Amino acid sequence: MGSDEIRSQGFSLKELFRDVTYEIDYYQREYTWGEDEVRMLLRDLCGSFRNWSLNPSYLRRPQTAPQYFLGPFVYYEPSKNRRYLVDGQQRFVTLHLLFLQLRLAAQERADFRAVDRLNRVITTDGEHFSLGITDHEPVLRAVSQARRYETGLGDSLSRRNLWARSQQIESQLAEELDAENLTRFTEWLLDRVVLVGIRAASPDHGYRMFETMNDRGARLTAVDLLKSHLLSHVGAGEDQLNTQWHEMLRELATDREDTTAASRFIKAFLLARCAREGLAEDRRQIDSNLNVWVRQNAEHLQLVPEHPDNFLTFVQDLLKTARLYRPFLAAGRALKKNDRLEAVLFNERNGLTCQAVAILAAIDPDDLPSDAKDKGRLVSVYLDRWYALRVLQDLPVQSADADALAHDTLVPLLRQCRTVADVATALGDLVTQDTGSIRDAITLGLRGNNAHPIRYLLARATAYVEAACQREHDILAYLDRDRFHIEHLWANHHHRVQQEIPDPVVFRSRRNQLGGLGLLMGRENSSINDLPLHDKAGYYARSNVLLGSIAPGYNQRNPLLREFIKTHKLDKLLRPFSPRETMTSVVQTRQELYLCLFEHIWNPERLGLPAALPSDPAGADEPPAQPPAAATARRRPAAGRRRTDVARMVAAQILTPGTRIVLTYRLTDHWATIDEDGGIILTATGGTPYGRVDEAGAVARGTKTCQGMNEWHIEDETGARISLRTLRDRAVASGAL
């Protein structure tokens, strides 16, 4: 294989897909990227874009901004404008799905320039996809046309996965980016994201390169380099260190296909137990280059040549901690009955990747396995409760919010804990300081960017009632968007309830409230979703208890349900409804039912997170064990909505709480009020504020998306209307924001 046969070239995404069709060879695997891989890619892309967009000089001169390197790929080119992918299929397919979702969003907001640019990378001629994988085409057509793809028994793994990942990308884009930023994100993605293509000379050459890349030894990783560094300084303990290092790797090998488990564990260990408090640079370096950080911070870690025993002790602590952490690794992959670690898996599914750091901050290498498990369980249920409360209060639950909680609050606090009781008391103390309540969610429901967390709330409530009634159930199935759909009790037909609810905005809002939703098996949902509620009740009776209880007479056949209703005092809430009951009555009753269930599910006492106990009476022989230095000094106020432009303008007093704003759509004015946190309360509906102007605008308009900063206006003293975007831009120009 001569070196002159290999060529490499950098491509921006707009260049990569311009007038080129990509295909794959027979030896390529199917499209297998899962939720974690796609979530990580999108978070990295959106995070890099946000950093870029905050730099005014890059906005003025985009061509001067650093490029985002998405890695290499290998291909060969049998003819002009036709390439076969040797390595890189997973990224290419995911990018193609991202392009399709961005084009749908651009079409929705009539951004014809963005549509045109995306057309050029999606298709070669306006008809044929630039990613020419025949098996994928039915799914890509459905996504492209905003149709639902019904997966069938004959579908390949690739097709089923393509559909799931396309839906994930749609919801994650809405969560990560405001509609106003989608155009600039599209420009940045096409112009500044690059891959390096390595061109093979022929199909045989490409296959040999594929074998080389997949069957031969990999390059040294940061973990390998760290081990080498430790070995070189341990002196006579070299053999012992080497043996214990390999034992640690075996403890972490719960999944043979997970090649990054050791790296993630060591990073989490360093962040949890070694990084200096309040030093963001430590966190950044550990995350990007852990072995270099260990070398550069030898004094801090006491890993200096004069004390070779410390190197062995360091690895021994890693090994002991890995043994204690192994149950949590397993729990993050699958549910196990009676291990009480289900919250670990839920947190993984909800993207709380900081969980490992928080758990390891609570665990001491010399803990008993039972104590370590109890400590970690308490941390996981605290994080799960934190996530649920944030969702119910319509506050951000992105990775940055969870990371801030873990690094700024939990790690410093948990490092001081010694016993399980310490951890319980410390976390219980945090619970007592939480602002807001489950009861804040009096009108919360499905919105543009919260389908995943709303599904999670519904799944937990559904599983809780099923378990109480001793029915077999699978909460992971409830969390699977293909197996169970979010069912609307009311079909999207305003005319059916127009006499009760004349305002279509109120109808749309009420229809999407938690009280108007449930979980139903996909095949049932597809066949009955257009029926009136009283016609669907019989089908609900065949489903889970939470939906089935709507059907008249359902609880008469279920003594366990009657007992559950009695013990939880739900007789007025978990009940059937007659055809005469109004939509408003049903939704409000079911909303109250969900909130009551959530209060039971996330009750701190039930989770083992009691409030801090008062001191013993005077004269007691021993004072009670004090919790580690109270979290009060470290506790920061809830992040709220301070990252939105509206929240920033409220904080800067450019807007005042109570300011009325208006959006005009199809000659109709829709009014709303800005609250003290920058939330948007629709005048027509009241209730739980919308966290973003995009969401409030979409509900008011009855459309999927809305560029809220452009479409919502204030009225000045003369009655002239000024868009929120104009107001923000003026504040930025004057230095007030």
Side-chain angles (χ1 to χ4, degrees), residues 264-323:
R264 293 201 312 274
F265 169 75
I266 296 174
K267 285 180 183 179
F269 178 89
L270 294 173
L271 289 167
R273 307 200 65 83
C274 304
R276 285 160 289 203
E277 293 180 20
L279 198 58
E281 185 62 17
D282 272 10
R283 300 206 298 267
R284 188 192 67 78
Q285 288 190 15
I286 289 171
D287 191 58
S288 62
N289 213 341
L290 65 90
N291 66 297
V292 173
W293 182 83
V294 170
R295 288 171 180 265
Q296 291 179 344
N297 291 277
E299 292 286 344
H300 168 63
L301 297 171
Q302 298 181 16
L303 294 176
V304 292
E306 305 91 82
H307 299 285
D309 289 350
N310 288 354
F311 291 83
L312 182 58
T313 301
F314 179 79
V315 174
Q316 287 172 337
D317 284 347
L318 278 174
L319 171 58
K320 288 187 286 188
T321 306
R323 286 173 176 159

Side-chain angles (χ1 to χ4, degrees), residues 439-461:
R439 292 286 159 178
D440 293 339
I442 54 172
T443 60
L444 180 68
L446 196 62
R447 296 176 175 183
N449 70 331
N450 70 349
H452 174 85
I454 291 297
R455 170 181 291 279
Y456 180 64
L457 295 179
L458 293 172
R460 291 298 302 273

Side-chain angles (χ1 to χ4, degrees), residues 20 167 174 188 215 324 401 510 524 541 582 606 608:
V20 178
Q167 300 306 289
W188 174 84
D215 291 342
L324 297 173
D401 305 293
R510 199 153 294 163
E524 292 276 18
T582 64
R606 175 176 176 268

Side-chain angles (χ1 to χ4, degrees), residues 473-525:
H473 63 281
D474 182 359
I475 191 169
L476 296 186
Y478 301 153
L479 294 171
D480 187 328
R481 73 181 79 202
D482 288 330
R483 296 176 66 183
F484 277 80
H485 294 174
I486 295 178
E487 157 75 351
H488 285 80
L489 303 188
W490 270 266
N492 195 16
H493 297 302
H494 179 217
H495 65 272
R496 293 179 181 173
V497 294
Q498 194 162 8
Q499 187 172 356
E500 176 202 345
I501 307 174
D503 191 331
V505 176
V506 177
F507 168 73
R508 287 192 291 269
S509 175
R510 199 153 294 163
R511 176 176 180 266
N512 280 312
Q513 280 183 221
L514 274 170
L517 306 174
L519 290 178
L520 189 64
M521 288 191 70
R523 59 176 179 268
E524 292 276 18
N525 178 266

Side-chain angles (χ1 to χ4, degrees), residues 590-724:
R590 298 279 295 180
Q591 190 89 6
E592 177 68 15
L593 167 64
Y594 278 123
L595 299 187
C596 285
L597 292 175
F598 297 151
E599 286 180 327
H600 285 288
I601 293 169
W602 286 292
N603 182 311
E605 295 285 342
R606 175 176 176 268
L607 299 175
L609 303 174
L613 296 173
S615 300
D616 280 356
D621 292 335
E622 292 287 340
Q626 294 296 316
T632 307
R634 303 180 187 279
R635 184 69 165 164
R636 296 184 178 184
R641 303 181 180 92
R642 65 173 181 268
R643 287 199 304 271
T644 68
D645 286 335
V646 173
R648 290 169 57 223
M649 287 194 282
V650 170
Q653 299 182 341
I654 296 159
L655 291 170
T656 58
T659 297
R660 298 184 73 220
I661 55 176
V662 62
L663 176 151
T664 303
Y665 184 66
R666 294 182 177 175
L667 304 180
T668 300
D669 283 349
H670 300 280
W671 290 88
T673 304
I674 298 172
D675 72 6
E676 64 274 10
D677 293 324
I680 313 300
I681 303 173
L682 292 175
T683 302
T685 64
T688 307
Y690 289 83
R692 299 195 299 189
V693 286
D694 292 357
E695 299 165 354
V699 172
R701 289 164 33 120
T703 55
K704 196 171 183 179
T705 61
C706 170
Q707 294 192 65
M709 293 297 290
N710 290 337
E711 298 197 37
W712 286 104
H713 296 70
I714 63 166
E715 283 191 348
D716 66 15
E717 58 276 4
T718 68
R721 293 186 174 183
I722 305 167
S723 73
L724 292 180

Side-chain angles (χ1 to χ4, degrees), residues 462-473 545-546 554 558-565 574:
T462 303
Y464 182 74
V465 178
E466 294 289 286
C469 295
Q470 298 179 22
R471 287 168 51 112
E472 288 292 326
H473 63 281
V545 175
L546 203 48
Y554 184 86
N558 197 329
L560 290 172
L561 174 59
R562 292 200 301 272
E563 180 64 24
F564 175 77
I565 291 171
L574 188 54

